[in-house]
Amino acid sequence: MARRAGKPAPGTHAWYDQMGAVGGRLNWLRAAVLGANDGIVSVAGLVIGVAGASASRAALVTAGIAGLSAGAMSMAVGEYVSVSAQRDTERGILDLERRELAELPEEELAELTGLLRKRGLSEATARVAAVELTDHDAFAAHADLELGLDPTERTNPWEAAGASALAFVVGALVPFLAILIAPREVAVPVTVAAVALALAATGVTSARLGRASVPRAVLRNVLGGLLAMGVTYWIGRFFGAQI
């Protein structure tokens, strides 16, 4: 198949940069969708539960703000710790690979040849390709084929933490604003409807990003959110009546 004009050749720096950029954007989008989804469901369950226990608007505002703040901080801290641990692990693996390339070049060339053979190349072709990749950029070739990593693409834990917290807040504002703005007598059904629509939107987005079935993703998202709100609402009703 002919390569389209302007498309970098596999194995070149431009190719690694392009693949890393595309993968990075998709990862950020997926993380944002998941963060928003978490914010929608978490705060919806909280305010619906409080609405089941109390009709006080002050209680709803307090619960909503507390849930939004705690959830955003939890997402930020969790993402920061997770990405930092991943970066440390990847850095250690890449440092080890760099030392092995310096100390055991022939063994690493044989290893790269074996990796290419597993991709379907013949022994002779794999050897030639391994030599060419090694001459071009041995470290990048081993990072990609052996470790599945892009040595030039490292996620910033602070950016990941901020993006996760922001996504959570954006999602959480849907149920929080819905239950506050809607008239008191219809606040719960309006919030449920707003949450269902928001979850359908995140379901569509996540399915398209993952090239999965849209109806299945939407149904799973919406049913999960409705279940969470239903459980917390009746828990709130039960304990509100008891207290």
Side-chain angles (χ1 to χ4, degrees), residues 30-78:
R30 289 191 186 97
V33 170
L34 290 174
N37 205 69
D38 197 13
I40 294 168
V41 175
S42 298
V43 175
L46 182 59
V47 296
I48 289 290
V50 172
S54 169
S56 167
R57 188 166 292 269
L60 287 174
V61 171
T62 302
I65 292 176
L68 190 152
S69 303
M73 290 301 297
S74 176
M75 290 288 291
V77 172

Side-chain angles (χ1 to χ4, degrees), residues 29-241:
L29 287 170
R30 289 191 186 97
V33 170
L34 290 174
N37 205 69
D38 197 13
I40 294 168
V41 175
S42 298
V43 175
L46 182 59
V47 296
I48 289 290
V50 172
S54 169
S56 167
R57 188 166 292 269
L60 287 174
V61 171
T62 302
I65 292 176
L68 190 152
S69 303
M73 290 301 297
S74 176
M75 290 288 291
V77 172
E79 193 70 12
Y80 177 83
V81 171
S82 175
V83 171
S84 295
Q86 180 181 333
R87 275 172 61 104
D88 291 343
T89 301
E90 291 177 354
R91 186 182 293 115
I93 293 172
L94 290 170
D95 287 345
L96 176 61
E97 188 64 36
R98 191 179 283 109
R99 287 197 302 272
E100 290 178 344
L101 283 167
E103 297 170 3
L104 305 166
E106 289 302 320
E107 288 83 348
E108 289 297 300
L109 179 61
E111 184 178 41
L112 186 59
T113 302
L115 291 170
L116 290 170
R117 287 206 66 191
K118 289 180 180 179
R119 298 289 180 96
L121 299 182
S122 67
E123 175 68 32
T125 304
R127 180 72 181 183
V128 171
V131 170
E132 290 184 359
L133 287 171
T134 299
D135 290 342
H136 175 70
D137 192 335
F139 180 61
H142 279 268
D144 178 46
L145 293 170
E146 181 181 349
L147 306 175
L149 298 175
D150 179 354
T152 65
E153 186 73 20
R154 299 269 70 83
T155 304
N156 187 316
W158 290 105
E159 291 179 357
S164 295
L166 179 60
F168 184 94
V169 170
V170 170
L173 286 174
V174 173
F176 183 50
L177 294 178
I179 206 163
L180 291 182
I181 294 172
R184 185 170 301 181
E185 60 274 11
V186 294
V188 170
V190 166
T191 302
V192 171
V195 167
L197 288 173
L199 290 175
T202 58
V204 170
T205 305
S206 63
R208 288 181 175 172
L209 287 174
R211 297 182 179 179
S213 168
V214 171
R216 186 180 305 165
V218 170
L219 185 63
R220 182 172 55 233
N221 239 22
V222 173
L223 287 180
L226 293 176
L227 177 62
M229 288 186 289
V231 169
T232 55
Y233 178 77
W234 287 107
I235 289 175
R237 286 291 298 271
F238 174 77
F239 283 100

